[in-house]
């Protein structure tokens, strides 16, 4: 299989690339650096370059894709976070559909987050296509934690947009699922732990399975969802968080 992976240079994306590569698949990595395709998914030109680079290297035929590139809540610029985590991921997802339609048993995994469940779609400004000025205003009350709110909005919107594609993508023969990790030991999480606003909050929250996930544990779920044994799994979000979601929201599923 030929599989494109955004965010392949680090963390979950790198672990996924390693696992799939070890299983014999051809990987086309997309990242800011250390990847086959260098592209900045924060901006339209970078997204177009990512799609073009993948199409060029795959010959226009893809069997899988993993949309993993993202930045964390500690970012100084919450709007850039939304640009990458939501708009960037969706643009590449949609841009790769024609190549995926030509693939063999094609499947896609979008990497969202448990944070996707922390806000309600009807109250998410991205649900009404809020522009930058409206987003800035809506983020103001969150003060120092605007990054976390923007992160939750971006991942909530990414999950919803992915699920909204289930009918069209299923009819096109392309399976599409979402993986929503909790805390995973990656550079993104470590930067959050080092941040004076978020460090203690992250440290203070213990999952029922009282440790962080290893990136390889997320990669193994992604690999399963891309593979033939997951042939009837489509349009679903899989939380992989050591039991946090069950602990916080046992009746919401
Ligand atoms: P990471 O920082 O280790 O890897 C993210 C990768 O995305 C990096 O290689 C980075 O260069 C790339 N990237 C960032 N901005 C980019 C841009 N503008 N254009 C192209 N590539 C860009 O982070 P990690 O933890 O592996 O995160 C991967 C995904 O998992 C993200 O979408 C993140 O939101 C999500 N996630 C991570 C969790 C965690 O605890 N680590 C928890 C839940 C979700």
């Amino acid at each position: 299989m030929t599989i494109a992976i955004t965010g392949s240079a680090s963390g979950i994306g790198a672990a996924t690339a390693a696992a799939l590569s070890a299983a014999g698949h051809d990987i086309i990595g997309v990242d800011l650096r250390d990847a086959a395709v260098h592209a900045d998914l924060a901006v339209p030109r970078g997204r177009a370059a990512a799609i073009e680079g993948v199409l060029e290297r795959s010959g226009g035929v893809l069997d899988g894709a993993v949309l993993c590139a993202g930045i964390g809540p500690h970012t100084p610029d919450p709007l850039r976070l939304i640009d990458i985590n939501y708009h960037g991921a969706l643009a590449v997802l949609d841009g790769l559909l024609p190549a995926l339609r030509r693939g063999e048993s094609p499947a896609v995994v979008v990497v969202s987050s448990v944070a996707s469940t922390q806000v309600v779609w009807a109250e998410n400004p991205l649900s009404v296509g809020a522009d930058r000025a409206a987003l800035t205003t809506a983020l103001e009350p969150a003060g120092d934690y605007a990054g976390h709110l923007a992160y939750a909005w971006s991942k909530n919107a990414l999950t919803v947009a992915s699920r909204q594609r289930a009918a069209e993508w299923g009819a096109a023969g392309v399976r599409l699922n979402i993986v929503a990790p909790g805390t995973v030991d990656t550079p993104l999480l470590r930067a959050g732990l080092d941040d004076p606003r978020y460090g203690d909050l992250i440290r203070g929250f213990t999952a029922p399975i009282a440790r962080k996930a290893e990136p390889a544990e997320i990669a193994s779920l992604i690999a399963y969802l891309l593979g033939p044994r997951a042939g009837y799994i489509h349009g679903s979000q899989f939380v992989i968080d050591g039991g946090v979601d069950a602990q916080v929201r046992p009746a919401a599923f």
Side-chain angles (χ1 to χ4, degrees):
M1 282 169 50
T2 301
I3 301 167
I5 303 179
T6 71
S8 60
S10 177
I12 298 167
T16 303
L20 293 170
S21 184
H25 303 299
D26 291 330
I27 305 303
I28 304 171
V30 179
D31 209 304
L32 292 168
R33 61 191 75 80
D34 301 328
V37 179
H38 290 171
D40 180 358
L41 303 185
V43 292
R45 204 177 48 188
R47 296 166 198 154
I51 295 161
E52 204 180 295
V54 170
L55 296 184
E56 203 177 287
R57 278 164 184 77
S58 64
V61 183
L62 271 183
D63 308 306
V66 181
L67 285 300
C68 192
I71 60 173
H74 53 275
T75 177
D77 181 354
L79 294 188
R80 180 175 159 80
L81 183 156
I82 290 170
D83 287 338
I84 298 169
N85 292 12
Y86 175 55
H87 297 296
L90 269 194
V92 175
L93 183 68
D94 288 341
L96 296 182
L97 180 57
L100 286 159
R101 293 179 83 129
R102 291 190 280 268
E104 204 180 309
S105 305
V108 175
V109 171
V110 171
V111 179
S112 183
S113 166
V114 276
S116 65
T117 66
Q118 292 170 354
V119 290
V120 177
W121 176 238
E123 293 165 14
N124 184 342
L126 294 171
S127 70
V128 290
D131 64 14
R132 301 182 87 75
L135 286 169
T136 303
T137 305
L139 285 167
E140 258 163 30
D144 277 352
Y145 296 96
H148 181 75
L149 187 55
Y151 186 80
W153 286 344
S154 75
K155 294 299 190 177
N156 176 262
L158 181 61
T159 294
V160 172
S162 300
R163 284 169 60 77
Q164 284 172 336
R165 281 159 173 71
E168 186 197 336
W169 285 54
V174 184
R175 288 190 303 105
L176 169 59
N177 290 292
I178 307 116
V179 164
T183 50
V184 190
D185 190 14
T186 68
L188 181 153
L189 184 76
R190 278 176 238 137
L193 285 166
D194 288 343
D195 187 293
R197 294 163 301 172
Y198 294 108
D200 285 342
L201 286 176
I202 300 170
R203 268 183 291 274
F205 201 83
T206 312
I209 294 177
R211 61 173 176 82
K212 305 176 195 75
E214 290 301 324
E217 293 177 302
I218 312 302
S220 75
L221 175 59
I222 295 173
Y224 174 78
L225 290 171
L226 290 177
R229 283 180 295 166
Y232 199 59
I233 303 179
H234 178 56
S236 291
Q237 168 154 290
F238 293 83
V239 170
I240 173 166
D241 68 348
V244 172
D245 186 54
Q247 179 174 269
V248 176
R249 317 183 311 144
F253 52 87

